[in-house]
Amino acid sequence: MQPLQNAGYDRAITVFSPDGRLFQVEYAREAVKRGTTSIGVKSSEGIVLAVDKRTTSKLVEPTSIEKIFKIDEHIGAATSGLVADARALVERARVESQINKITYSEPIRVESLSKKLCDMLQLYTHNGGVRPFGSALIIGGVYEGKSRLFETDPSGALIEYKATAIGSGRSAAMDIFEDKYEDDLSLDDAICLAITAINEATDHDTTSDNVEIAVIKIDDEKYVKLSQDEVKSYIDQVIVEEEDDKEEVEENEE
């Protein structure tokens, strides 16, 4: 009986496999892939963060599920993966933001906060006795009239995007973005695009109970979470547009 090729290389975070892989980091990425879909879209008017708050039971209060967080007045984060790990990362991000404000008397830059968070994530990939964070974040914000959108990874890697998604529906959402994203999107169009991506990436009905949206506008640089009524109005708008598109396609086929 031949021993397994990768046996033993996933027992500690500090052990590389012969082909240069850290299996514990890859397992952490799998935890993110099994999480609910979270989305970030950058528009000409600001940042849109949207999350799918999939509930496992009808007894769960949807308002108690937190997947989108305010980091500072001008920065928000959407998470996917292990909820407890995400909350720890969010708390660290909030602390870093306040440290910067106290030290330099100015709000932290979106890129600086993202890098500080990824520095912490990377530390948990090369220290014995710890494990990587099983959570990824989409960090979006506005600073000095510019909107920025970053995606973190359990390995500590950091990438800036115009539109991105994490979680179980990433592939379907990214296909939508590749096809429909434009640089000059208005904030309303970006919200509708985010809802369209969530609707495409999930296998349940998209309603205001299971979708949460936050925006940061360039005009005031303030994080604002949309109410359920506002989310419902955008969802209704997207559904109407999709039905019109289907009717148009059917007419063209005839």
Side-chain angles (χ1 to χ4, degrees), residues 44-56:
S44 60
E45 298 175 359
I47 293 290
V48 175
L49 298 172
V51 294
D52 168 37
K53 299 196 305 179
R54 183 177 61 214
T55 55
T56 55

Side-chain angles (χ1 to χ4, degrees), residues 2 53 126 171 220:
Q2 293 292 326
K53 299 196 305 179
H126 67 202
S171 296
D220 55 11

Side-chain angles (χ1 to χ4, degrees), residues 134-177:
S135 183
L137 273 67
I138 296 174
I139 302 171
V142 176
Y143 187 86
E144 292 183 345
K146 291 184 179 180
S147 54
R148 307 290 296 274
L149 187 71
F150 294 91
E151 179 188 322
T152 72
D153 182 80
S155 67
L158 181 68
I159 305 176
E160 184 172 6
Y161 283 94
K162 295 176 180 178
T164 187
I166 54 177
S168 57
R170 175 183 169 83
S171 296
M174 293 302 280
D175 287 342
I176 293 290
F177 293 148

Side-chain angles (χ1 to χ4, degrees), residues 4-225:
L4 293 174
Q5 185 179 359
N6 298 327
Y9 295 112
D10 61 351
R11 294 186 180 181
I13 187 62
T14 55
V15 178
F16 281 96
S17 71
D19 54 352
R21 297 159 64 189
L22 288 173
F23 288 110
Q24 289 294 330
V25 174
E26 295 185 18
Y27 297 159
R29 289 196 182 112
E30 284 300 318
V32 174
K33 290 179 183 177
R34 292 171 184 267
T36 54
T37 307
S38 297
I39 282 170
V41 181
K42 182 165 68 172
S43 78
S44 60
E45 298 175 359
I47 293 290
V48 175
L49 298 172
V51 294
D52 168 37
K53 299 196 305 179
R54 183 177 61 214
T55 55
T56 55
S57 169
K58 64 180 182 180
L59 301 177
V60 174
E61 285 284 0
T63 54
S64 68
I65 300 174
E66 280 190 296
K67 295 290 178 69
I68 194 165
F69 300 87
K70 177 180 179 180
I71 304 297
D72 203 344
E73 290 295 328
H74 63 304
I75 300 177
T79 68
S80 185
L82 300 181
V83 178
D85 285 14
R87 287 179 58 247
L89 289 172
V90 167
E91 287 303 314
R92 177 60 180 262
R94 287 170 173 168
V95 169
E96 290 290 349
S97 179
Q98 296 307 308
I99 288 173
N100 188 90
K101 192 173 289 185
I102 292 170
T103 306
Y104 301 108
S105 299
E106 65 178 18
I108 193 169
R109 296 174 184 269
V110 185
E111 184 178 12
S112 297
L113 176 64
S114 301
K115 285 182 176 178
K116 284 179 181 292
L117 211 55
C118 283
D119 288 345
M120 174 185 169
L121 288 167
Q122 196 273 335
L123 281 175
Y124 280 76
T125 68
H126 67 202
N127 282 330
V130 299
R131 65 163 175 80
F133 284 86
S135 183
L137 273 67
I138 296 174
I139 302 171
V142 176
Y143 187 86
E144 292 183 345
K146 291 184 179 180
S147 54
R148 307 290 296 274
L149 187 71
F150 294 91
E151 179 188 322
T152 72
D153 182 80
S155 67
L158 181 68
I159 305 176
E160 184 172 6
Y161 283 94
K162 295 176 180 178
T164 187
I166 54 177
S168 57
R170 175 183 169 83
S171 296
M174 293 302 280
D175 287 342
I176 293 290
F177 293 148
E178 292 282 355
D179 184 43
K180 297 185 177 182
Y181 180 82
E182 296 175 0
D183 290 333
D184 59 349
L185 283 175
S186 68
L187 198 65
D188 286 344
D189 289 339
I191 292 172
C192 290
L193 179 61
I195 292 172
T196 301
I198 286 179
N199 193 37
E200 191 69 26
T202 55
D203 55 2
H204 56 74
D205 293 335
T206 303
T207 68
S208 57
D209 285 332
N210 54 38
V211 173
E212 198 170 14
I213 299 173
V215 299
I216 304 115
K217 295 181 181 179
I218 288 178
D219 292 343
D220 55 11
E221 299 189 4
K222 298 289 185 184
Y223 172 97
V224 177
K225 188 179 288 188

Side-chain angles (χ1 to χ4, degrees), residues 243-254:
E243 289 176 351
D244 290 343
D245 290 342
K246 285 181 182 178
E247 290 177 1
E248 187 177 338
V249 170
E250 289 173 359
E251 289 175 0
N252 291 335
E253 288 177 351
E254 291 174 357

